[in-house]
Amino acid sequence: MSADNNETDLPRIVVIGGGTGLSVMLRGLKEKPLDITAIVTVADDGGSSGVLRSELQIPPPGDIRNVLIALADVEPLLSQMLQHRFSSGAGLAGHSLGNLILAAMKDITGDFVAGVKALSRVLAVRGRVLPASDHQIILKAEMIDGSIVEGESNIPKAGGKIKRVFIEPADVSPLDEAVEAIREADAILIGPGSLYTSILPNLLVPKLAETIMQSEAVKIFVCNVMTQPGETDNFTVSDHLQAVYDHVGYHMFDYVIVNNGEIPPQVQSKYAEQGAKAVHLDMDEVTKLGYKVIADRLVLFRTYLRHDAERLSHHIFQLVDSWMVRKR
């Protein structure tokens, strides 16, 4: 499937989020017969992305780079090259080659979104990758104690409990193509990823949330496997769902996909050292809130715990397929 080819009979799925979790899941989904559009957060302001965003006035390229590579049909060495981060060099240290290429493509094409599309063709990306907006967005958090923390990268480091996050400007316009993709979607998938800094920034773009609400697509939330220090400490599955509800003001999802597989004690200990623990599935509370739950052993452990992309994408595809059958 080419990056710009929307004329397809395949089920159209829009995946919304950012961060590592989204990329892992997309590696599995691209193997399924689906027409994928990934809408990626543009609130990132840390590291290489933050520097390029600030100096070149472009949306942060890091999450977009990760998603492009996840959906690309290229040799592993090329993926490795795009992810390569320079460790030395004045002005170069800390930058990944993929981020620099995206910045260059913006200069060559004259537009960031056009640059992403052009690179998608070069990488034979299976689907489309779109930033949620092509405007600069600043993410802020109001903490329980009333203090305001500015900047996506600073929020998890603040050390307090988050009351809410919000974006400036609050009335930022989404990318028209992102809105159109949501309107045409058969399925809308949100998560996994950092709840307050990768997922919610997309849902705070007013017209995006409104279009999701009006859509008749099946709406699925993929819950994180582990809590995230500084963001979702001690959160259960229902806490994640409640946070989304509190920010958007309505019941957004039909289904929630969660891990119920055992995490080995030695892995739990490793994460506990960083202040993270397994997200508890409080099934009664989740079903009481009106969500249908799909629970399965969805984790793999190598160096880090990650979703099992193959098993997760199988559940997603089954859900989308049965939804399509019901619609006919």
Side-chain angles (χ1 to χ4, degrees):
M1 187 192 315
S2 79
D4 288 326
N5 181 16
N6 295 321
E7 294 176 21
T8 172
D9 293 330
L10 300 176
R12 289 170 295 211
I13 183 167
V14 171
V15 183
I16 302 173
T20 313
L22 182 67
S23 302
V24 169
M25 181 175 69
L26 286 170
R27 282 193 180 90
L29 282 178
K30 76 175 179 184
E31 303 302 332
K32 300 292 182 188
L34 293 167
D35 178 357
I36 301 169
T37 300
I39 298 174
V40 185
T41 182
V42 289
D44 187 6
D45 64 356
S48 168
S49 282
V51 172
L52 293 172
R53 165 184 163 142
S54 162
E55 292 185 358
L56 303 178
Q57 302 301 300
I58 60 171
D63 281 340
I64 289 169
R65 178 198 81 237
N66 283 329
V67 169
L68 283 170
I69 293 167
L71 288 173
D73 196 4
V74 293
E75 291 294 323
L77 186 60
L78 181 54
S79 295
Q80 199 180 336
M81 183 181 81
L82 291 168
Q83 293 288 39
H84 175 73
R85 203 171 286 276
F86 296 95
S87 55
S88 59
L92 199 56
H95 284 298
S96 79
L97 182 59
N99 285 1
L100 296 174
I101 289 173
L102 277 166
M105 292 303 289
K106 185 262 180 187
D107 278 359
I108 291 164
T109 61
D111 175 75
F112 184 76
V113 176
V116 171
K117 286 182 184 172
L119 189 56
S120 296
R121 286 192 290 274
V122 170
L123 298 175
V125 164
R126 299 189 199 180
R128 285 189 298 166
V129 180
L130 302 170
S133 172
D134 57 1
H135 300 284
Q136 294 273 359
I137 291 175
I138 297 168
L139 185 67
K140 296 187 177 184
E142 180 187 355
M143 312 304 280
I144 289 291
D145 65 5
S147 62
I148 303 292
V149 180
E150 181 172 324
E152 176 269 343
S153 58
N154 295 321
I155 291 168
K157 300 175 194 163
K161 187 169 168 53
I162 299 167
K163 182 179 179 185
R164 68 181 181 109
V165 289
F166 57 101
I167 57 172
E168 287 186 353
D171 60 349
V172 68
S173 301
L175 202 67
D176 288 341
E177 282 174 78
V179 173
E180 196 57 35
I182 292 168
R183 280 206 189 107
E184 293 176 354
D186 298 305
I188 298 167
L189 189 62
I190 293 172
S194 301
L195 179 63
Y196 287 102
T197 54
S198 288
I199 292 171
L200 283 169
N202 296 297
L203 303 181
L204 293 172
V205 176
K207 202 172 174 187
L208 277 190
E210 187 186 307
T211 310
I212 294 169
M213 181 179 70
Q214 292 164 352
S215 167
E216 291 179 10
V218 60
K219 294 162 198 154
I220 306 161
F221 182 72
V222 180
C223 193
N224 291 340
V225 173
M226 304 297 287
T227 62
Q228 189 166 355
E231 283 203 39
T232 54
D233 298 285
N234 299 313
F235 267 40
T236 62
V237 173
S238 70
D239 289 331
H240 283 78
L241 294 163
Q242 189 63 46
V244 175
Y245 181 90
D246 290 344
H247 280 77
V248 300
Y250 60 90
H251 185 100
M252 184 172 266
F253 308 108
D254 303 299
Y255 292 90
V256 186
I257 299 180
V258 298
N259 172 61
N260 68 353
E262 282 297 312
I263 297 168
Q266 68 273 22
V267 177
Q268 293 200 43
S269 299
K270 181 181 173 181
Y271 274 82
E273 287 168 16
Q274 301 155 29
K277 65 181 188 180
V279 174
H280 171 63
L281 171 54
D282 48 343
M283 182 70 87
D284 289 348
E285 199 59 40
V286 175
T287 50
K288 199 193 299 175
L289 291 169
Y291 301 98
K292 298 184 190 82
V293 178
I294 292 170
D296 193 8
R297 182 172 54 78
L298 295 174
V299 285
L300 290 173
F301 179 73
R302 292 193 179 107
T303 312
Y304 299 98
L305 267 179
R306 292 281 181 256
H307 273 100
D308 180 332
E310 195 176 325
R311 197 179 278 247
L312 177 58
S313 56
H314 168 77
H315 283 293
I316 292 164
F317 182 71
Q318 292 290 102
L319 255 184
V320 175
D321 196 44
S322 61
W323 184 267
M324 297 292 286
V325 168
R326 263 179 276 163
K327 272 176 67 178
R328 286 187 193 116

Short mmCIF file of all heavy atoms in Angstrom, two decimals, residues 116-180:
data_model
loop_
_atom_site.label_atom_id
_atom_site.label_comp_id
_atom_site.label_asym_id
_atom_site.label_seq_id
_atom_site.Cartn_x
_atom_site.Cartn_y
_atom_site.Cartn_z
N VAL A 116 7.17 14.78 5.12
CA VAL A 116 6.84 13.47 5.71
C VAL A 116 6.30 12.54 4.62
O VAL A 116 6.67 11.37 4.54
CB VAL A 116 5.81 13.62 6.87
CG1 VAL A 116 5.32 12.25 7.34
CG2 VAL A 116 6.43 14.38 8.04
N LYS A 117 5.44 13.07 3.76
CA LYS A 117 4.86 12.25 2.68
C LYS A 117 5.95 11.78 1.71
O LYS A 117 5.96 10.63 1.28
CB LYS A 117 3.82 13.05 1.91
CG LYS A 117 2.51 13.23 2.65
CD LYS A 117 1.55 14.01 1.77
CE LYS A 117 0.27 14.30 2.52
NZ LYS A 117 -0.60 15.20 1.75
N ALA A 118 6.85 12.70 1.38
CA ALA A 118 7.93 12.35 0.44
C ALA A 118 8.82 11.26 1.03
O ALA A 118 9.18 10.29 0.35
CB ALA A 118 8.75 13.60 0.10
N LEU A 119 9.16 11.40 2.31
CA LEU A 119 9.99 10.39 2.96
C LEU A 119 9.24 9.06 3.09
O LEU A 119 9.83 7.99 2.98
CB LEU A 119 10.46 10.89 4.34
CG LEU A 119 11.52 10.03 5.04
CD1 LEU A 119 12.77 9.84 4.17
CD2 LEU A 119 11.91 10.65 6.38
N SER A 120 7.93 9.13 3.28
CA SER A 120 7.09 7.92 3.33
C SER A 120 7.21 7.12 2.03
O SER A 120 7.28 5.89 2.05
CB SER A 120 5.62 8.28 3.57
OG SER A 120 5.43 8.88 4.82
N ARG A 121 7.24 7.84 0.92
CA ARG A 121 7.37 7.14 -0.38
C ARG A 121 8.75 6.50 -0.50
O ARG A 121 8.87 5.36 -0.95
CB ARG A 121 7.13 8.13 -1.52
CG ARG A 121 5.67 8.50 -1.70
CD ARG A 121 5.43 9.24 -3.01
NE ARG A 121 5.99 10.57 -3.01
CZ ARG A 121 5.36 11.66 -2.54
NH1 ARG A 121 4.15 11.54 -2.04
NH2 ARG A 121 5.95 12.84 -2.59
N VAL A 122 9.77 7.22 -0.08
CA VAL A 122 11.14 6.70 -0.15
C VAL A 122 11.27 5.43 0.69
O VAL A 122 11.94 4.46 0.30
CB VAL A 122 12.16 7.76 0.35
CG1 VAL A 122 13.55 7.17 0.51
CG2 VAL A 122 12.20 8.95 -0.60
N LEU A 123 10.60 5.41 1.86
CA LEU A 123 10.73 4.28 2.79
C LEU A 123 9.68 3.20 2.55
O LEU A 123 9.60 2.24 3.32
CB LEU A 123 10.61 4.78 4.24
CG LEU A 123 11.68 5.77 4.71
CD1 LEU A 123 11.38 6.27 6.11
CD2 LEU A 123 13.06 5.12 4.67
N ALA A 124 8.86 3.36 1.50
CA ALA A 124 7.78 2.39 1.21
C ALA A 124 6.93 2.13 2.45
O ALA A 124 6.69 0.98 2.84
CB ALA A 124 8.38 1.08 0.68
N VAL A 125 6.48 3.22 3.05
CA VAL A 125 5.68 3.13 4.28
C VAL A 125 4.31 2.53 3.96
O VAL A 125 3.66 2.92 2.99
CB VAL A 125 5.54 4.54 4.92
CG1 VAL A 125 4.42 4.58 5.95
CG2 VAL A 125 6.86 4.92 5.58
N ARG A 126 3.91 1.57 4.78
CA ARG A 126 2.60 0.91 4.58
C ARG A 126 1.53 1.69 5.33
O ARG A 126 1.19 1.38 6.47
CB ARG A 126 2.65 -0.52 5.10
CG ARG A 126 3.68 -1.37 4.40
CD ARG A 126 3.51 -2.81 4.81
NE ARG A 126 4.70 -3.59 4.53
CZ ARG A 126 4.81 -4.87 4.80
NH1 ARG A 126 3.81 -5.52 5.38
NH2 ARG A 126 5.92 -5.52 4.52
N GLY A 127 1.01 2.73 4.68
CA GLY A 127 0.01 3.57 5.31
C GLY A 127 0.41 5.02 5.22
O GLY A 127 1.28 5.40 4.43
N ARG A 128 -0.26 5.85 6.03
CA ARG A 128 0.05 7.29 6.06
C ARG A 128 0.46 7.69 7.46
O ARG A 128 -0.08 7.17 8.44
CB ARG A 128 -1.18 8.10 5.67
CG ARG A 128 -1.52 8.08 4.21
CD ARG A 128 -2.61 9.09 3.91
NE ARG A 128 -3.85 8.78 4.61
CZ ARG A 128 -4.86 9.63 4.74
NH1 ARG A 128 -4.78 10.85 4.25
NH2 ARG A 128 -5.96 9.27 5.37
N VAL A 129 1.36 8.64 7.54
CA VAL A 129 1.79 9.18 8.84
C VAL A 129 1.55 10.69 8.79
O VAL A 129 2.05 11.38 7.90
CB VAL A 129 3.28 8.89 9.11
CG1 VAL A 129 3.69 9.45 10.47
CG2 VAL A 129 3.54 7.38 9.07
N LEU A 130 0.75 11.18 9.75
CA LEU A 130 0.39 12.60 9.78
C LEU A 130 0.62 13.19 11.16
O LEU A 130 0.27 12.55 12.16
CB LEU A 130 -1.10 12.78 9.43
CG LEU A 130 -1.60 12.23 8.09
CD1 LEU A 130 -3.12 12.29 8.05
CD2 LEU A 130 -0.99 13.02 6.94
N PRO A 131 1.19 14.39 11.25
CA PRO A 131 1.21 15.06 12.55
C PRO A 131 -0.21 15.49 12.91
O PRO A 131 -1.02 15.77 12.01
CB PRO A 131 2.11 16.28 12.31
CG PRO A 131 2.11 16.49 10.84
CD PRO A 131 1.83 15.18 10.18
N ALA A 132 -0.54 15.53 14.19
CA ALA A 132 -1.88 15.94 14.61
C ALA A 132 -2.18 17.37 14.15
O ALA A 132 -3.32 17.71 13.83
CB ALA A 132 -2.01 15.84 16.13
N SER A 133 -1.14 18.19 14.11
CA SER A 133 -1.27 19.58 13.65
C SER A 133 0.07 19.99 13.07
O SER A 133 1.11 19.42 13.43
CB SER A 133 -1.64 20.49 14.84
OG SER A 133 -1.60 21.84 14.47
N ASP A 134 0.06 20.97 12.17
CA ASP A 134 1.36 21.46 11.71
C ASP A 134 1.72 22.78 12.40
O ASP A 134 2.58 23.51 11.95
CB ASP A 134 1.40 21.59 10.18
CG ASP A 134 0.31 22.48 9.62
OD1 ASP A 134 -0.48 23.02 10.43
OD2 ASP A 134 0.23 22.63 8.39
N HIS A 135 1.02 23.07 13.51
CA HIS A 135 1.32 24.25 14.32
C HIS A 135 2.14 23.85 15.55
O HIS A 135 2.06 22.71 16.02
CB HIS A 135 0.03 24.94 14.77
CG HIS A 135 -0.82 25.40 13.62
ND1 HIS A 135 -0.52 26.51 12.87
CD2 HIS A 135 -1.95 24.89 13.09
CE1 HIS A 135 -1.44 26.67 11.93
NE2 HIS A 135 -2.31 25.70 12.04
N GLN A 136 2.85 24.80 16.11
CA GLN A 136 3.57 24.58 17.36
C GLN A 136 2.56 24.44 18.50
O GLN A 136 1.63 25.25 18.61
CB GLN A 136 4.49 25.78 17.65
CG GLN A 136 5.61 25.95 16.64
CD GLN A 136 6.84 25.12 16.99
OE1 GLN A 136 6.88 24.42 17.99
NE2 GLN A 136 7.85 25.21 16.16
N ILE A 137 2.73 23.44 19.32
CA ILE A 137 1.86 23.24 20.48
C ILE A 137 2.73 23.15 21.73
O ILE A 137 3.73 22.43 21.75
CB ILE A 137 1.02 21.93 20.35
CG1 ILE A 137 -0.02 22.08 19.23
CG2 ILE A 137 0.33 21.59 21.66
CD1 ILE A 137 -0.81 20.80 18.96
N ILE A 138 2.34 23.88 22.76
CA ILE A 138 3.03 23.77 24.06
C ILE A 138 2.10 23.03 25.01
O ILE A 138 0.93 23.40 25.17
CB ILE A 138 3.38 25.16 24.63
CG1 ILE A 138 4.36 25.88 23.69
CG2 ILE A 138 3.98 25.04 26.03
CD1 ILE A 138 4.54 27.35 24.01
N LEU A 139 2.60 21.97 25.62
CA LEU A 139 1.83 21.20 26.58
C LEU A 139 2.14 21.70 27.99
O LEU A 139 3.29 21.90 28.34
CB LEU A 139 2.16 19.71 26.47
CG LEU A 139 1.34 18.77 27.35
CD1 LEU A 139 -0.12 18.74 26.91
CD2 LEU A 139 1.92 17.36 27.34
N LYS A 140 1.09 21.91 28.78
CA LYS A 140 1.26 22.34 30.17
C LYS A 140 0.44 21.42 31.07
O LYS A 140 -0.56 20.84 30.64
CB LYS A 140 0.79 23.79 30.35
CG LYS A 140 1.61 24.79 29.56
CD LYS A 140 1.21 26.22 29.90
CE LYS A 140 2.09 27.23 29.17
NZ LYS A 140 1.77 28.62 29.56
N ALA A 141 0.87 21.30 32.32
CA ALA A 141 0.14 20.49 33.30
C ALA A 141 -0.16 21.32 34.53
O ALA A 141 0.70 22.06 35.02
CB ALA A 141 0.97 19.27 33.70
N GLU A 142 -1.40 21.21 35.00
CA GLU A 142 -1.75 21.77 36.31
C GLU A 142 -1.64 20.62 37.30
O GLU A 142 -2.28 19.57 37.12
CB GLU A 142 -3.16 22.34 36.29
CG GLU A 142 -3.56 22.94 37.65
CD GLU A 142 -5.01 23.37 37.73
OE1 GLU A 142 -5.73 23.30 36.71
OE2 GLU A 142 -5.44 23.75 38.83
N MET A 143 -0.82 20.82 38.32
CA MET A 143 -0.63 19.77 39.32
C MET A 143 -1.69 19.91 40.41
O MET A 143 -2.37 20.94 40.53
CB MET A 143 0.78 19.86 39.92
CG MET A 143 1.90 20.00 38.90
SD MET A 143 1.94 18.69 37.66
CE MET A 143 2.75 17.37 38.58
N ILE A 144 -1.83 18.88 41.22
CA ILE A 144 -2.82 18.88 42.30
C ILE A 144 -2.61 20.06 43.25
O ILE A 144 -3.56 20.63 43.77
CB ILE A 144 -2.76 17.53 43.09
CG1 ILE A 144 -3.33 16.40 42.23
CG2 ILE A 144 -3.49 17.62 44.42
CD1 ILE A 144 -4.82 16.45 41.97
N ASP A 145 -1.33 20.46 43.45
CA ASP A 145 -1.05 21.59 44.36
C ASP A 145 -1.28 22.95 43.71
O ASP A 145 -1.00 24.00 44.31
CB ASP A 145 0.38 21.50 44.90
CG ASP A 145 1.45 21.66 43.81
OD1 ASP A 145 1.07 21.94 42.65
OD2 ASP A 145 2.65 21.52 44.13
N GLY A 146 -1.77 22.96 42.45
CA GLY A 146 -2.08 24.22 41.79
C GLY A 146 -0.95 24.77 40.94
O GLY A 146 -1.15 25.72 40.18
N SER A 147 0.24 24.21 41.06
CA SER A 147 1.38 24.71 40.26
C SER A 147 1.21 24.29 38.80
O SER A 147 0.54 23.30 38.49
CB SER A 147 2.70 24.18 40.83
OG SER A 147 2.74 22.77 40.75
N ILE A 148 1.82 25.09 37.91
CA ILE A 148 1.76 24.81 36.47
C ILE A 148 3.15 24.42 36.00
O ILE A 148 4.14 25.11 36.27
CB ILE A 148 1.27 26.04 35.68
CG1 ILE A 148 -0.10 26.53 36.17
CG2 ILE A 148 1.24 25.74 34.18
CD1 ILE A 148 -1.26 25.61 35.89
N VAL A 149 3.24 23.30 35.29
CA VAL A 149 4.51 22.85 34.71
C VAL A 149 4.40 23.00 33.20
O VAL A 149 3.43 22.53 32.59
CB VAL A 149 4.81 21.37 35.07
CG1 VAL A 149 6.13 20.93 34.46
CG2 VAL A 149 4.83 21.19 36.58
N GLU A 150 5.37 23.65 32.58
CA GLU A 150 5.34 23.88 31.14
C GLU A 150 6.33 22.97 30.42
O GLU A 150 7.47 22.85 30.82
CB GLU A 150 5.67 25.34 30.83
CG GLU A 150 5.64 25.66 29.35
CD GLU A 150 5.78 27.13 29.04
OE1 GLU A 150 5.26 27.97 29.80
OE2 GLU A 150 6.42 27.44 28.01
N GLY A 151 5.85 22.34 29.36
CA GLY A 151 6.73 21.54 28.51
C GLY A 151 6.56 20.05 28.73
O GLY A 151 6.64 19.56 29.86
N GLU A 152 6.31 19.33 27.63
CA GLU A 152 6.09 17.87 27.67
C GLU A 152 7.20 17.14 28.41
O GLU A 152 6.95 16.25 29.22
CB GLU A 152 5.95 17.37 26.23
CG GLU A 152 5.82 15.87 26.06
CD GLU A 152 7.16 15.17 25.88
OE1 GLU A 152 8.16 15.84 25.57
OE2 GLU A 152 7.19 13.95 26.08
N SER A 153 8.45 17.54 28.17
CA SER A 153 9.58 16.81 28.78
C SER A 153 9.73 17.11 30.27
O SER A 153 10.35 16.33 30.99
CB SER A 153 10.88 17.16 28.05
OG SER A 153 11.11 18.56 28.09
N ASN A 154 9.15 18.22 30.74
CA ASN A 154 9.29 18.59 32.16
C ASN A 154 8.21 17.99 33.04
O ASN A 154 8.40 17.85 34.26
CB ASN A 154 9.24 20.12 32.31
CG ASN A 154 10.43 20.79 31.65
OD1 ASN A 154 11.55 20.28 31.71
ND2 ASN A 154 10.19 21.92 30.99
N ILE A 155 7.07 17.63 32.44
CA ILE A 155 5.91 17.20 33.24
C ILE A 155 6.21 15.93 34.06
O ILE A 155 5.97 15.92 35.27
CB ILE A 155 4.66 17.04 32.34
CG1 ILE A 155 4.22 18.43 31.86
CG2 ILE A 155 3.52 16.34 33.09
CD1 ILE A 155 3.18 18.42 30.74
N PRO A 156 6.77 14.86 33.46
CA PRO A 156 7.03 13.67 34.29
C PRO A 156 8.09 13.90 35.36
O PRO A 156 8.15 13.16 36.34
CB PRO A 156 7.52 12.62 33.27
CG PRO A 156 7.13 13.14 31.94
CD PRO A 156 7.13 14.62 32.05
N LYS A 157 8.94 14.93 35.17
CA LYS A 157 10.01 15.19 36.14
C LYS A 157 9.55 16.05 37.31
O LYS A 157 10.30 16.26 38.26
CB LYS A 157 11.18 15.92 35.44
CG LYS A 157 11.80 15.17 34.29
CD LYS A 157 12.85 16.08 33.63
CE LYS A 157 13.29 15.55 32.28
NZ LYS A 157 13.96 16.60 31.50
N ALA A 158 8.33 16.58 37.23
CA ALA A 158 7.88 17.56 38.24
C ALA A 158 7.70 16.92 39.62
O ALA A 158 7.79 17.59 40.64
CB ALA A 158 6.57 18.20 37.79
N GLY A 159 7.45 15.61 39.63
CA GLY A 159 7.41 14.90 40.91
C GLY A 159 6.10 15.01 41.67
O GLY A 159 5.99 14.52 42.78
N GLY A 160 5.10 15.66 41.09
CA GLY A 160 3.80 15.76 41.77
C GLY A 160 2.75 14.95 41.05
O GLY A 160 3.04 14.23 40.10
N LYS A 161 1.51 15.10 41.52
CA LYS A 161 0.39 14.39 40.87
C LYS A 161 -0.28 15.36 39.90
O LYS A 161 -0.55 16.51 40.24
CB LYS A 161 -0.60 13.90 41.93
CG LYS A 161 -1.70 13.01 41.39
CD LYS A 161 -2.46 12.35 42.51
CE LYS A 161 -3.75 11.69 42.04
NZ LYS A 161 -3.60 10.75 40.93
N ILE A 162 -0.54 14.88 38.70
CA ILE A 162 -1.13 15.72 37.66
C ILE A 162 -2.65 15.79 37.86
O ILE A 162 -3.32 14.77 37.99
CB ILE A 162 -0.82 15.15 36.25
CG1 ILE A 162 0.69 15.11 36.01
CG2 ILE A 162 -1.52 15.97 35.17
CD1 ILE A 162 1.11 14.28 34.80
N LYS A 163 -3.15 17.03 37.86
CA LYS A 163 -4.61 17.22 37.91
C LYS A 163 -5.18 17.19 36.50
O LYS A 163 -6.17 16.53 36.21
CB LYS A 163 -4.94 18.55 38.59
CG LYS A 163 -6.43 18.80 38.74
CD LYS A 163 -6.68 20.13 39.44
CE LYS A 163 -8.18 20.39 39.56
NZ LYS A 163 -8.44 21.73 40.15
N ARG A 164 -4.53 17.94 35.59
CA ARG A 164 -4.97 17.96 34.18
C ARG A 164 -3.82 18.49 33.32
O ARG A 164 -2.90 19.15 33.83
CB ARG A 164 -6.19 18.87 34.00
CG ARG A 164 -5.88 20.33 34.21
CD ARG A 164 -7.09 21.25 34.07
NE ARG A 164 -6.70 22.64 34.26
CZ ARG A 164 -6.65 23.56 33.30
NH1 ARG A 164 -6.98 23.23 32.05
NH2 ARG A 164 -6.27 24.80 33.53
N VAL A 165 -3.88 18.18 32.04
CA VAL A 165 -2.96 18.80 31.09
C VAL A 165 -3.78 19.64 30.12
O VAL A 165 -4.97 19.40 29.91
CB VAL A 165 -2.11 17.75 30.32
CG1 VAL A 165 -1.08 17.12 31.23
CG2 VAL A 165 -2.96 16.69 29.65
N PHE A 166 -3.13 20.65 29.53
CA PHE A 166 -3.80 21.48 28.54
C PHE A 166 -2.77 21.99 27.55
O PHE A 166 -1.57 21.93 27.81
CB PHE A 166 -4.56 22.64 29.21
CG PHE A 166 -3.73 23.54 30.08
CD1 PHE A 166 -3.28 24.78 29.64
CD2 PHE A 166 -3.39 23.15 31.39
CE1 PHE A 166 -2.53 25.62 30.44
CE2 PHE A 166 -2.64 23.99 32.21
CZ PHE A 166 -2.21 25.22 31.73
N ILE A 167 -3.26 22.42 26.39
CA ILE A 167 -2.32 22.86 25.34
C ILE A 167 -2.50 24.35 25.09
O ILE A 167 -3.56 24.92 25.32
CB ILE A 167 -2.52 22.07 24.02
CG1 ILE A 167 -3.97 22.17 23.51
CG2 ILE A 167 -2.10 20.62 24.18
CD1 ILE A 167 -4.19 21.59 22.12
N GLU A 168 -1.42 24.95 24.64
CA GLU A 168 -1.46 26.34 24.18
C GLU A 168 -0.86 26.39 22.78
O GLU A 168 0.21 25.81 22.56
CB GLU A 168 -0.68 27.25 25.14
CG GLU A 168 -1.43 27.47 26.44
CD GLU A 168 -0.74 28.50 27.35
OE1 GLU A 168 0.38 28.95 27.04
OE2 GLU A 168 -1.34 28.83 28.38
N PRO A 169 -1.53 27.06 21.83
CA PRO A 169 -2.85 27.66 21.96
C PRO A 169 -3.94 26.58 22.09
O PRO A 169 -3.84 25.52 21.48
CB PRO A 169 -3.01 28.45 20.67
CG PRO A 169 -2.12 27.78 19.68
CD PRO A 169 -0.97 27.22 20.47
N ALA A 170 -4.99 26.90 22.89
CA ALA A 170 -6.05 25.91 23.15
C ALA A 170 -6.88 25.64 21.90
O ALA A 170 -7.49 24.57 21.77
CB ALA A 170 -6.95 26.42 24.28
N ASP A 171 -6.93 26.61 20.98
CA ASP A 171 -7.79 26.47 19.80
C ASP A 171 -6.99 26.09 18.55
O ASP A 171 -7.36 26.41 17.42
CB ASP A 171 -8.55 27.77 19.55
CG ASP A 171 -7.61 28.96 19.31
OD1 ASP A 171 -6.39 28.80 19.54
OD2 ASP A 171 -8.09 30.04 18.91
N VAL A 172 -5.86 25.40 18.75
CA VAL A 172 -5.01 25.04 17.61
C VAL A 172 -5.79 24.22 16.59
O VAL A 172 -6.64 23.40 16.95
CB VAL A 172 -3.76 24.27 18.11
CG1 VAL A 172 -4.13 22.90 18.65
CG2 VAL A 172 -2.72 24.12 16.99
N SER A 173 -5.51 24.47 15.32
CA SER A 173 -6.20 23.73 14.25
C SER A 173 -5.48 22.42 13.98
O SER A 173 -4.25 22.39 13.90
CB SER A 173 -6.20 24.54 12.96
OG SER A 173 -6.85 25.77 13.17
N PRO A 174 -6.24 21.34 13.82
CA PRO A 174 -5.60 20.08 13.43
C PRO A 174 -5.28 20.10 11.94
O PRO A 174 -5.78 20.95 11.19
CB PRO A 174 -6.68 19.05 13.73
CG PRO A 174 -7.97 19.79 13.55
CD PRO A 174 -7.69 21.22 13.94
N LEU A 175 -4.51 19.16 11.51
CA LEU A 175 -4.24 18.97 10.10
C LEU A 175 -5.55 18.51 9.43
O LEU A 175 -6.20 17.58 9.92
CB LEU A 175 -3.16 17.89 9.94
CG LEU A 175 -2.36 17.88 8.65
CD1 LEU A 175 -1.49 19.13 8.57
CD2 LEU A 175 -1.50 16.64 8.60
N ASP A 176 -5.93 19.15 8.33
CA ASP A 176 -7.19 18.79 7.65
C ASP A 176 -7.22 17.31 7.28
O ASP A 176 -8.25 16.64 7.39
CB ASP A 176 -7.38 19.63 6.37
CG ASP A 176 -7.73 21.08 6.69
OD1 ASP A 176 -8.16 21.34 7.83
OD2 ASP A 176 -7.55 21.95 5.81
N GLU A 177 -6.07 16.78 6.83
CA GLU A 177 -6.02 15.37 6.44
C GLU A 177 -6.24 14.44 7.63
O GLU A 177 -6.78 13.34 7.47
CB GLU A 177 -4.67 15.05 5.79
CG GLU A 177 -4.56 15.52 4.37
CD GLU A 177 -3.15 15.30 3.84
OE1 GLU A 177 -2.83 14.16 3.49
OE2 GLU A 177 -2.39 16.28 3.79
N ALA A 178 -5.81 14.87 8.82
CA ALA A 178 -6.03 14.05 10.02
C ALA A 178 -7.52 13.99 10.35
O ALA A 178 -8.06 12.92 10.67
CB ALA A 178 -5.25 14.64 11.19
N VAL A 179 -8.20 15.13 10.23
CA VAL A 179 -9.65 15.17 10.47
C VAL A 179 -10.38 14.29 9.46
O VAL A 179 -11.27 13.51 9.81
CB VAL A 179 -10.17 16.63 10.41
CG1 VAL A 179 -11.69 16.68 10.48
CG2 VAL A 179 -9.55 17.46 11.52
N GLU A 180 -9.97 14.41 8.19
CA GLU A 180 -10.60 13.63 7.13
C GLU A 180 -10.39 12.12 7.36
O GLU A 180 -11.31 11.32 7.16
CB GLU A 180 -10.01 14.05 5.77
CG GLU A 180 -10.81 13.60 4.57
CD GLU A 180 -12.24 14.08 4.59
OE1 GLU A 180 -12.52 15.20 5.06
OE2 GLU A 180 -13.11 13.30 4.15
#
